[in-house]
Amino acid sequence: VKVAEMALRESEELKRTILNSVSSQIAVLDRNGVILAVNESWQRFALENSPEPGRPARHTGVGVNYLDIGLGCHGESSVGGREACAGIRGVLEGRLPAFSLEYAGHAPNRQRWFEMSVTPLGTDGQGVVIAHQDITERKLAAHSVEVTKERLRCGQQFANIGTWDWNIVTGELYWTERIAPLFGYPVGELETSYENFLAAIHPDDRQAVIDAVNACVERDAPYEIEHRVVWPDGSVRWLLERGAVARDAAGKPLQMLGMVQDITERKRAELALAERER
């Protein structure tokens, strides 16, 4: 009997150790949604985010029905509380194999986002394990990327510039949304391809552009060329192209990066001045 009791205590201690080693806030629920166990991260979060200093937030401990209080220690008023409860019920009742939800749980002095994941406990409807992971850094990083992209888009639109990235090894070509309007197409209506790029170039300038690209790729000649493009409506515009090739340690070309800018007004002024000076 003592051996069995010792084995049981060791088993329970191992379970607690495993739960406490996880940085996410973990709660184990029975089939009715009652909290059976929580880890130290959950307890710490409940204490730090309690409206009563020194006491854990209400409805966060063992024995509480989690489904009655929305997102528990993350706040029943948190956005997504009803959706979270519906998802948990779905997993508990076997209608969902698992469930996850990203939601905002902002504190008074800072923004925070969390991801809740719900997985079944066992295979016979014993309950679920709920984990709340702080994803604030990821959300802020993603927002920062979007802000940077928007600034780039606005800057390129203001300067009438587009940028492109050509993977020489795979042939894959990427260009920013500003490229299409420079070739006379609405944003998103010009398929990204080297063939479409060449087709838009004025026939009298096309070979010169091909030669300039090849010279840059093959022998690192400076890629800077002015050329005409013919828009779908038949009008002719002038573009300035600049680019450079990135190579591996052996000198093999890997990637070509570049920019294109509409210089039509400048070229028209230059041509008009040259005509007057004849």
Side-chain angles (χ1 to χ4, degrees):
V1 175
K2 291 184 178 180
V3 173
E5 291 177 349
M6 183 178 299
L8 179 61
R9 285 196 298 270
E10 290 177 351
S11 176
E12 293 299 322
E13 182 62 30
L14 178 61
K15 291 177 183 178
R16 283 193 294 272
T17 300
I18 293 173
L19 279 178
N20 292 333
S21 68
V22 180
S23 60
S24 300
Q25 295 107 42
I26 303 291
V28 180
L29 278 58
D30 69 12
R31 66 185 63 196
N32 297 313
V34 175
I35 299 176
L36 297 177
V38 297
N39 69 348
E40 290 179 354
S41 181
W42 176 285
Q43 294 171 334
R44 185 164 53 252
F45 190 93
L47 184 61
E48 293 173 352
N49 291 272
S50 173
E52 304 176 65
R55 299 184 61 183
R58 298 168 60 188
H59 312 305
T60 62
V62 173
V64 172
N65 192 306
Y66 193 76
L67 297 176
D68 291 340
I69 46 87
L71 289 177
C73 67
H74 291 69
E76 58 185 309
S77 63
S78 297
V79 175
R82 291 183 180 178
E83 185 179 356
C85 286
I88 296 169
R89 290 185 188 278
V91 178
L92 283 171
E93 295 168 4
R95 293 181 287 104
L96 296 175
F99 176 77
S100 65
L101 173 71
E102 291 187 6
Y103 65 93
H106 302 319
N109 59 344
R110 67 187 181 98
Q111 292 183 311
R112 298 183 305 188
W113 287 267
F114 297 88
E115 180 177 30
M116 182 184 75
S117 61
V118 184
T119 55
L121 181 62
T123 58
D124 55 355
Q126 296 177 12
V128 296
V129 177
I130 296 179
H132 292 273
Q133 177 69 41
D134 191 322
I135 58 170
T136 301
E137 289 188 10
R138 172 163 65 82
K139 296 290 284 189
L140 292 177
H143 176 69
S144 178
V145 169
E146 290 304 314
V147 169
T148 299
K149 287 182 178 179
E150 180 62 18
R151 288 174 178 170
L152 176 62
R153 186 192 67 79
C154 291
Q156 291 189 352
Q157 183 173 1
F158 179 78
N160 218 5
I161 290 175
T163 56
W164 47 267
D165 179 344
W166 176 33
N167 187 317
I168 299 173
V169 178
T170 65
E172 183 179 6
L173 178 65
Y174 164 81
W175 58 42
T176 57
E177 65 177 25
R178 189 58 197 159
I179 293 285
L182 294 176
F183 287 85
Y185 292 85
V187 172
E189 293 191 13
L190 177 61
E191 183 181 353
T192 305
S193 73
Y194 187 58
E195 291 72 23
N196 284 343
F197 162 67
L198 291 178
I201 298 174
H202 193 286
D204 294 343
D205 297 346
R206 190 172 296 141
Q207 190 58 51
V209 172
I210 294 173
D211 292 342
V213 171
N214 291 339
C216 185
V217 173
E218 294 169 4
R219 58 179 185 275
D220 266 341
Y223 180 67
E224 181 170 342
I225 187 170
E226 297 176 358
H227 64 82
R228 291 164 291 177
V229 291
V230 182
W231 281 19
D233 63 4
S235 61
V236 176
R237 308 286 294 184
W238 280 90
L239 300 179
L240 167 65
E241 299 260 4
R242 290 194 180 100
V245 171
R247 302 176 183 275
D248 63 15
K252 179 181 177 180
L254 299 176
Q255 187 178 31
M256 188 172 182
L257 307 172
M259 58 76 66
V260 55
Q261 180 179 24
D262 190 305
I263 57 169
T264 302
E265 299 309 317
R266 174 169 68 79
K267 291 298 292 186
R268 287 175 177 171
E270 291 175 354
L271 293 173
L273 178 61
E275 184 67 24
R276 289 196 300 271
E277 291 178 348
R278 285 185 180 179

